[in-house]
Amino acid sequence: MLKTLPEYELLAAEAHGHLCAGQILGLRMGLYGMTLLGLEDPSGADRKRLVTFVEIDRCATDAIPIVTGCRLGKRALKFRDFGKVAATFCDMRDNRAVRLVARESSKQRARELYPEIASKNQQQMRAYRELADEELFETQWVRVSLGPEDMPGYKAPRVICAQCGEGISFKREVVRAGRPLCRACAGERYYEPL
């Protein structure tokens, strides 16, 4: 079952190494997403229903799995590097999804509410605990189409890259001239061999 924000804050601080405004924002985002989808037990009874997309690699992203139970290793957490404090929560059973984006105005709102607090992080932490969900987040109902290869629990044979010989899972190969290539050998390499 869903916990209270203070209970999640303790778990987030332990997992992330400290508690900050981004962590609180991520926890609130996860809680609001679960509320909008009507999921009461995302880490338990509802866990196979939920897939979450996160759009930034910052503090908020570490907090969202604390609430949702979605993890990269379970294939229920998907990362798209859009550089936005945003997440899309997908109820796969009912085929519906909601995308939440942190409002830029929430930082200014924190300054307005707590000008006596010198630390920007402390201002935001307090405000992010207290502001209404609608003041913190823009909400958009969206459609997310996932193929079976992107679903948690998907199993398929591994393919071997015809160029480097490394194994490729989850249909992530690229076929060129009839040969299966890993994405690195197909030109999508993020590293340069030495």
Side-chain angles (χ1 to χ4, degrees), residues 128-192:
Y128 294 171
R129 284 182 180 112
E130 298 171 3
L131 288 171
D133 293 321
E134 296 78 13
E135 284 188 273
L136 286 175
F137 308 111
E138 293 178 33
T139 304
Q140 180 182 29
W141 289 93
V142 298
R143 182 174 327 279
V144 176
S145 299
L146 291 177
E149 67 275 5
D150 290 314
M151 297 298 290
Y154 176 79
K155 304 249 189 285
R158 285 173 59 83
V159 174
I160 304 302
C161 177
Q163 188 167 319
C164 71
E166 294 177 0
I168 311 161
S169 297
F170 309 119
K171 294 192 174 201
R172 298 304 193 251
E173 70 273 8
V174 175
V175 178
R176 295 240 172 97
R179 299 173 55 219
L181 298 175
C182 68
R183 291 182 177 183
C185 290
E188 297 179 37
R189 187 174 283 137
Y190 68 89
Y191 58 90
E192 215 34 64

